């Protein structure tokens, strides 16, 4: 089974960094998705795609994946440049 390990970035709607830096393991969506003609929804008997696990470090997430025999793709959060400016620059 395949999974992704993604580093959490801070939310764009929040100024704080509460959960930034945590690592999340998500399972890939199954390929056997079927279309329900009555409701128009997509469904599957596989529920692994609904599970998201959170880990404090990348090593902990990799250890979990190794124990469960998962193939993982690691995606770190993009690095954002730090813009240093003076308060007076807001009034120029």
């Amino acid at each position: 089974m395949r999974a992704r390990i993604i580093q959490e970035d801070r939310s764009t709607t929040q100024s704080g960094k509460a959960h930034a830096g945590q690592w999340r393991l998500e399972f890939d969506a199954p390929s056997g998705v079927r279309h329900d003609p009555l409701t128009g929804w997509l469904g599957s008997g596989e529920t692994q795609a609904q599970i998201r696990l959170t880990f404090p470090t990348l090593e902990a997430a990799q250890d979990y994946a190794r124990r469960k025999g998962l193939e993982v793709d690691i995606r770190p959060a993009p690095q954002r440049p730090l813009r240093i400016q003076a308060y007076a620059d807001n009034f120029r």
Side-chain angles (χ1 to χ4, degrees):
M1 177 160 270
R2 294 202 44 83
R4 292 181 301 275
I5 298 177
I6 303 167
Q7 186 178 20
E8 298 271 342
D9 198 11
R10 73 173 181 86
S11 174
T12 56
T13 60
Q14 301 291 325
S15 61
K17 298 179 183 179
H19 295 285
Q22 290 185 344
W23 293 85
R24 184 177 67 225
L25 186 134
E26 297 178 348
F27 294 95
D28 285 341
S31 59
V33 177
R34 60 185 180 271
H35 181 73
D36 184 3
L38 181 62
T39 61
W41 294 355
L42 295 176
S44 172
E46 184 67 42
T47 58
Q48 288 282 53
Q50 300 173 7
I51 297 173
R52 293 188 174 132
L53 303 173
T54 306
F55 298 93
T57 63
L58 175 61
E59 290 78 21
Q62 287 176 327
D63 288 341
Y64 177 83
R66 194 174 305 115
R67 283 194 314 266
K68 299 298 180 179
L70 301 173
E71 298 175 30
V72 293
D73 178 30
I74 300 171
R75 299 180 186 171
Q79 295 296 325
R80 291 202 161 85
L82 182 61
R83 294 183 303 159
I84 299 174
Q85 69 180 40
Y87 179 70
D89 293 340
N90 293 329
F91 303 103
R92 290 185 184 185

